Amino acid sequence: RKEVEQDPGPFNVPEGATVAFNCTYSNSASQSFFWYRQDCRKEPKLLMSVYSSGNEDGRFTAQLNRASQYISLLIRDSKLSDSATYLCVVNTGSNSGYALNFGKGTSLLVTP
Amino acid sequence: DTEVTQTPKHLVMGMTNKKSLKCEQHMGHRAMYWYKQKAKKPPELMFVYSYEKLSINESVPSRFSPECPNSSLLNLHLHALQPEDSALYLCASSQDQARSSYNEQFFGPGTRLTVL
């Protein structure tokens, strides 16, 4: 079983739509959680860290459910510029806490 | 300044060449990383340096040789690579584990390597 699993998509949504991405992780000892965004042929960029209480940054809301080992990202009022691959990333705390486990990414295409 | 820089942006090399990739950060981070990313795949961890010491080597072939000359710089020396080593090589940095339990990693723009 993969450590971090995501629906690969692609998700094709019209501008203005709300879209939700889900992610599950297998290691219950995981300590920290992130969503990264990666544009084609570019580096991953940190979108949000995901905290136990949930957190919001503008149109983006991240939730963590430790009991279900589940992380979500909600994007409201989608923009064309939101088109990218969204990577769910988990730090299991192994390897001295440095190693991140990446999901395979969910592809989002926002259309006019 | 949350920037990690990498040079060169692109590199084409033959299987007998020796080349080096360079990475620099000025955020005061004490952990630095090399990742390899193939198309449509997530990044794969290669090496981790913590306080300029190699702390993780993910069973990477010896044709890849990392070096951390100081806390701001990270190099990856390449020798006798194979065509399947062609990929995007990403450098990242983070605060050390003791100071930040969340340990967010910030990535450089990468070097796109082609091995002929």
Side-chain angles (χ1 to χ4, degrees), chain A residues 70-108:
Chain A
Y70 169 94
I71 306 156
S72 65
L73 177 69
L74 185 76
I75 306 176
R76 289 181 299 278
D77 188 23
S78 299
K79 312 288 185 196
L80 296 177
S81 57
D82 293 333
S83 298
T85 295
Y86 290 82
L87 297 161
C88 177
V89 183
V90 175
N91 181 333
T92 61
S94 61
N95 287 333
S96 303
Y98 293 110
L100 298 181
N101 289 295
F102 286 81
K104 289 192 172 180
T106 298
S107 176
L108 173 66

Short mmCIF file of all heavy atoms in Angstrom, two decimals, chain A residues 70-108:
data_model
loop_
_atom_site.label_atom_id
_atom_site.label_comp_id
_atom_site.label_asym_id
_atom_site.label_seq_id
_atom_site.Cartn_x
_atom_site.Cartn_y
_atom_site.Cartn_z
N TYR A 70 -6.74 11.21 6.78
CA TYR A 70 -7.31 11.80 5.58
C TYR A 70 -7.02 13.30 5.59
O TYR A 70 -7.13 13.96 6.62
CB TYR A 70 -8.81 11.51 5.64
CG TYR A 70 -9.71 12.20 4.68
CD1 TYR A 70 -10.05 11.61 3.47
CD2 TYR A 70 -10.26 13.44 4.99
CE1 TYR A 70 -10.91 12.23 2.60
CE2 TYR A 70 -11.12 14.07 4.11
CZ TYR A 70 -11.45 13.45 2.93
OH TYR A 70 -12.31 14.07 2.07
N ILE A 71 -6.63 13.82 4.43
CA ILE A 71 -6.35 15.25 4.29
C ILE A 71 -7.15 15.74 3.09
O ILE A 71 -7.29 15.01 2.09
CB ILE A 71 -4.85 15.48 3.99
CG1 ILE A 71 -3.97 14.80 5.04
CG2 ILE A 71 -4.52 16.96 3.93
CD1 ILE A 71 -2.59 14.49 4.51
N SER A 72 -7.65 16.96 3.17
CA SER A 72 -8.39 17.49 2.03
C SER A 72 -7.93 18.91 1.72
O SER A 72 -7.36 19.60 2.56
CB SER A 72 -9.90 17.48 2.32
OG SER A 72 -10.19 18.36 3.38
N LEU A 73 -8.18 19.31 0.47
CA LEU A 73 -7.94 20.68 0.04
C LEU A 73 -9.15 21.13 -0.74
O LEU A 73 -9.57 20.45 -1.69
CB LEU A 73 -6.69 20.76 -0.85
CG LEU A 73 -6.38 22.14 -1.43
CD1 LEU A 73 -5.95 23.11 -0.32
CD2 LEU A 73 -5.29 22.04 -2.50
N LEU A 74 -9.72 22.24 -0.34
CA LEU A 74 -10.88 22.81 -1.02
C LEU A 74 -10.46 24.11 -1.68
O LEU A 74 -9.85 24.97 -1.02
CB LEU A 74 -12.01 23.06 0.00
CG LEU A 74 -13.34 23.54 -0.56
CD1 LEU A 74 -14.08 22.37 -1.20
CD2 LEU A 74 -14.20 24.16 0.54
N ILE A 75 -10.78 24.24 -2.95
CA ILE A 75 -10.51 25.49 -3.67
C ILE A 75 -11.85 26.08 -4.08
O ILE A 75 -12.63 25.44 -4.80
CB ILE A 75 -9.64 25.26 -4.92
CG1 ILE A 75 -8.35 24.52 -4.56
CG2 ILE A 75 -9.33 26.60 -5.60
CD1 ILE A 75 -7.47 24.17 -5.77
N ARG A 76 -12.12 27.28 -3.59
CA ARG A 76 -13.37 27.96 -3.95
C ARG A 76 -13.12 28.96 -5.07
O ARG A 76 -11.99 29.46 -5.23
CB ARG A 76 -13.93 28.71 -2.73
CG ARG A 76 -14.49 27.81 -1.64
CD ARG A 76 -15.04 28.66 -0.48
NE ARG A 76 -13.99 29.46 0.13
CZ ARG A 76 -13.13 28.98 1.03
NH1 ARG A 76 -13.20 27.73 1.43
NH2 ARG A 76 -12.19 29.77 1.53
N ASP A 77 -14.17 29.25 -5.86
CA ASP A 77 -14.08 30.27 -6.90
C ASP A 77 -12.82 30.06 -7.76
O ASP A 77 -11.95 30.94 -7.86
CB ASP A 77 -14.06 31.66 -6.25
CG ASP A 77 -14.17 32.78 -7.25
OD1 ASP A 77 -14.69 32.54 -8.37
OD2 ASP A 77 -13.73 33.90 -6.93
N SER A 78 -12.73 28.91 -8.37
CA SER A 78 -11.53 28.53 -9.13
C SER A 78 -11.17 29.57 -10.18
O SER A 78 -12.05 30.13 -10.85
CB SER A 78 -11.77 27.20 -9.85
OG SER A 78 -12.04 26.17 -8.93
N LYS A 79 -9.88 29.82 -10.32
CA LYS A 79 -9.35 30.71 -11.35
C LYS A 79 -8.59 29.88 -12.39
O LYS A 79 -8.10 28.80 -12.08
CB LYS A 79 -8.38 31.73 -10.73
CG LYS A 79 -8.88 32.44 -9.49
CD LYS A 79 -9.96 33.42 -9.80
CE LYS A 79 -10.36 34.19 -8.56
NZ LYS A 79 -11.66 34.88 -8.73
N LEU A 80 -8.46 30.45 -13.57
CA LEU A 80 -7.67 29.78 -14.62
C LEU A 80 -6.26 29.47 -14.11
O LEU A 80 -5.68 28.42 -14.40
CB LEU A 80 -7.59 30.63 -15.88
CG LEU A 80 -8.91 30.91 -16.60
CD1 LEU A 80 -8.67 31.84 -17.78
CD2 LEU A 80 -9.57 29.63 -17.06
N SER A 81 -5.73 30.39 -13.30
CA SER A 81 -4.36 30.25 -12.80
C SER A 81 -4.21 29.16 -11.74
O SER A 81 -3.09 28.84 -11.34
CB SER A 81 -3.88 31.59 -12.22
OG SER A 81 -4.76 32.01 -11.20
N ASP A 82 -5.33 28.58 -11.31
CA ASP A 82 -5.25 27.46 -10.36
C ASP A 82 -4.89 26.16 -11.06
O ASP A 82 -4.61 25.15 -10.41
CB ASP A 82 -6.58 27.27 -9.61
CG ASP A 82 -6.91 28.44 -8.69
OD1 ASP A 82 -5.98 29.12 -8.22
OD2 ASP A 82 -8.11 28.66 -8.44
N SER A 83 -4.93 26.14 -12.39
CA SER A 83 -4.61 24.92 -13.14
C SER A 83 -3.17 24.50 -12.83
O SER A 83 -2.23 25.27 -13.03
CB SER A 83 -4.75 25.16 -14.64
OG SER A 83 -6.08 25.50 -14.96
N ALA A 84 -3.02 23.30 -12.32
CA ALA A 84 -1.71 22.81 -11.88
C ALA A 84 -1.91 21.39 -11.36
O ALA A 84 -3.02 20.87 -11.35
CB ALA A 84 -1.12 23.69 -10.76
N THR A 85 -0.81 20.78 -10.92
CA THR A 85 -0.89 19.51 -10.19
C THR A 85 -0.73 19.80 -8.71
O THR A 85 0.17 20.54 -8.31
CB THR A 85 0.21 18.55 -10.68
OG1 THR A 85 -0.03 18.22 -12.04
CG2 THR A 85 0.21 17.26 -9.85
N TYR A 86 -1.61 19.22 -7.90
CA TYR A 86 -1.60 19.45 -6.46
C TYR A 86 -1.08 18.18 -5.77
O TYR A 86 -1.65 17.10 -5.92
CB TYR A 86 -2.99 19.84 -5.98
CG TYR A 86 -3.37 21.22 -6.47
CD1 TYR A 86 -3.86 21.40 -7.76
CD2 TYR A 86 -3.15 22.34 -5.67
CE1 TYR A 86 -4.14 22.68 -8.23
CE2 TYR A 86 -3.44 23.61 -6.13
CZ TYR A 86 -3.93 23.77 -7.41
OH TYR A 86 -4.20 25.04 -7.89
N LEU A 87 0.01 18.35 -5.04
CA LEU A 87 0.69 17.22 -4.39
C LEU A 87 0.37 17.20 -2.90
O LEU A 87 0.58 18.20 -2.21
CB LEU A 87 2.21 17.35 -4.57
CG LEU A 87 2.74 17.29 -6.00
CD1 LEU A 87 4.14 17.87 -6.08
CD2 LEU A 87 2.75 15.86 -6.50
N CYS A 88 -0.13 16.06 -2.43
CA CYS A 88 -0.35 15.85 -1.00
C CYS A 88 0.96 15.29 -0.44
O CYS A 88 1.51 14.33 -1.00
CB CYS A 88 -1.49 14.86 -0.82
SG CYS A 88 -1.84 14.41 0.89
N VAL A 89 1.45 15.88 0.63
CA VAL A 89 2.79 15.52 1.12
C VAL A 89 2.71 15.30 2.63
O VAL A 89 2.12 16.11 3.35
CB VAL A 89 3.80 16.64 0.79
CG1 VAL A 89 5.20 16.24 1.24
CG2 VAL A 89 3.79 16.94 -0.70
N VAL A 90 3.33 14.22 3.08
CA VAL A 90 3.25 13.83 4.49
C VAL A 90 4.65 13.57 5.03
O VAL A 90 5.46 12.92 4.36
CB VAL A 90 2.38 12.55 4.62
CG1 VAL A 90 2.37 12.04 6.06
CG2 VAL A 90 0.97 12.82 4.16
N ASN A 91 4.91 14.06 6.22
CA ASN A 91 6.16 13.77 6.90
C ASN A 91 5.86 12.74 7.99
O ASN A 91 5.11 13.03 8.92
CB ASN A 91 6.73 15.05 7.51
CG ASN A 91 8.05 14.82 8.21
OD1 ASN A 91 8.35 13.73 8.67
ND2 ASN A 91 8.85 15.86 8.29
N THR A 92 6.40 11.54 7.83
CA THR A 92 6.08 10.48 8.79
C THR A 92 6.92 10.56 10.04
O THR A 92 6.69 9.81 10.98
CB THR A 92 6.31 9.10 8.16
OG1 THR A 92 7.70 9.01 7.79
CG2 THR A 92 5.47 8.92 6.91
N GLY A 93 7.91 11.46 10.04
CA GLY A 93 8.75 11.56 11.22
C GLY A 93 9.87 10.55 11.25
O GLY A 93 10.67 10.52 12.16
N SER A 94 9.93 9.69 10.22
CA SER A 94 11.05 8.75 10.15
C SER A 94 12.24 9.47 9.54
O SER A 94 12.13 10.62 9.11
CB SER A 94 10.68 7.53 9.33
OG SER A 94 10.36 7.93 8.01
N ASN A 95 13.40 8.82 9.44
CA ASN A 95 14.59 9.44 8.86
C ASN A 95 14.88 10.80 9.48
O ASN A 95 15.07 11.78 8.77
CB ASN A 95 14.45 9.58 7.34
CG ASN A 95 14.59 8.26 6.62
OD1 ASN A 95 15.24 7.34 7.11
ND2 ASN A 95 13.96 8.14 5.49
N SER A 96 14.84 10.85 10.79
CA SER A 96 15.13 12.08 11.53
C SER A 96 14.17 13.21 11.18
O SER A 96 14.49 14.38 11.38
CB SER A 96 16.57 12.54 11.28
OG SER A 96 17.48 11.53 11.62
N GLY A 97 13.02 12.87 10.65
CA GLY A 97 12.02 13.91 10.41
C GLY A 97 12.21 14.71 9.15
O GLY A 97 11.51 15.68 8.93
N TYR A 98 13.16 14.34 8.31
CA TYR A 98 13.42 15.16 7.14
C TYR A 98 12.70 14.67 5.89
O TYR A 98 12.48 15.43 4.97
CB TYR A 98 14.92 15.18 6.85
CG TYR A 98 15.71 15.89 7.92
CD1 TYR A 98 16.55 15.19 8.76
CD2 TYR A 98 15.60 17.26 8.07
CE1 TYR A 98 17.27 15.85 9.74
CE2 TYR A 98 16.31 17.92 9.06
CZ TYR A 98 17.14 17.21 9.87
OH TYR A 98 17.86 17.87 10.84
N ALA A 99 12.40 13.40 5.82
CA ALA A 99 11.93 12.85 4.56
C ALA A 99 10.44 13.10 4.39
O ALA A 99 9.64 12.82 5.27
CB ALA A 99 12.21 11.36 4.51
N LEU A 100 10.07 13.63 3.25
CA LEU A 100 8.68 13.84 2.89
C LEU A 100 8.22 12.71 1.98
O LEU A 100 8.97 12.26 1.12
CB LEU A 100 8.51 15.16 2.15
CG LEU A 100 8.87 16.44 2.90
CD1 LEU A 100 8.63 17.65 2.01
CD2 LEU A 100 8.10 16.55 4.20
N ASN A 101 6.99 12.27 2.19
CA ASN A 101 6.38 11.30 1.29
C ASN A 101 5.37 12.03 0.42
O ASN A 101 4.44 12.66 0.93
CB ASN A 101 5.67 10.21 2.09
CG ASN A 101 6.66 9.31 2.78
OD1 ASN A 101 7.42 8.60 2.13
ND2 ASN A 101 6.68 9.33 4.09
N PHE A 102 5.56 11.93 -0.88
CA PHE A 102 4.71 12.64 -1.83
C PHE A 102 3.66 11.71 -2.39
O PHE A 102 3.96 10.57 -2.75
CB PHE A 102 5.55 13.15 -3.01
CG PHE A 102 6.42 14.32 -2.69
CD1 PHE A 102 7.63 14.15 -2.06
CD2 PHE A 102 6.03 15.60 -3.05
CE1 PHE A 102 8.44 15.22 -1.77
CE2 PHE A 102 6.84 16.69 -2.77
CZ PHE A 102 8.05 16.50 -2.13
N GLY A 103 2.42 12.21 -2.49
CA GLY A 103 1.45 11.53 -3.32
C GLY A 103 1.80 11.76 -4.78
O GLY A 103 2.67 12.57 -5.10
N LYS A 104 1.13 11.04 -5.67
CA LYS A 104 1.44 11.16 -7.09
C LYS A 104 0.88 12.44 -7.70
O LYS A 104 1.20 12.77 -8.84
CB LYS A 104 0.90 9.94 -7.84
CG LYS A 104 1.68 8.68 -7.53
CD LYS A 104 1.33 7.56 -8.49
CE LYS A 104 2.29 6.40 -8.27
NZ LYS A 104 2.00 5.28 -9.17
N GLY A 105 0.03 13.14 -6.95
CA GLY A 105 -0.48 14.41 -7.45
C GLY A 105 -1.85 14.28 -8.10
O GLY A 105 -2.18 13.24 -8.67
N THR A 106 -2.63 15.34 -7.98
CA THR A 106 -3.94 15.43 -8.63
C THR A 106 -3.88 16.59 -9.61
O THR A 106 -3.52 17.70 -9.23
CB THR A 106 -5.05 15.68 -7.60
OG1 THR A 106 -5.10 14.59 -6.70
CG2 THR A 106 -6.40 15.83 -8.31
N SER A 107 -4.23 16.31 -10.86
CA SER A 107 -4.16 17.32 -11.90
C SER A 107 -5.47 18.10 -11.97
O SER A 107 -6.55 17.50 -12.02
CB SER A 107 -3.89 16.61 -13.23
OG SER A 107 -3.91 17.54 -14.27
N LEU A 108 -5.38 19.42 -11.95
CA LEU A 108 -6.54 20.30 -12.06
C LEU A 108 -6.42 21.16 -13.30
O LEU A 108 -5.39 21.79 -13.52
CB LEU A 108 -6.66 21.20 -10.83
CG LEU A 108 -7.72 22.30 -10.89
CD1 LEU A 108 -9.13 21.68 -10.91
CD2 LEU A 108 -7.60 23.27 -9.73
#
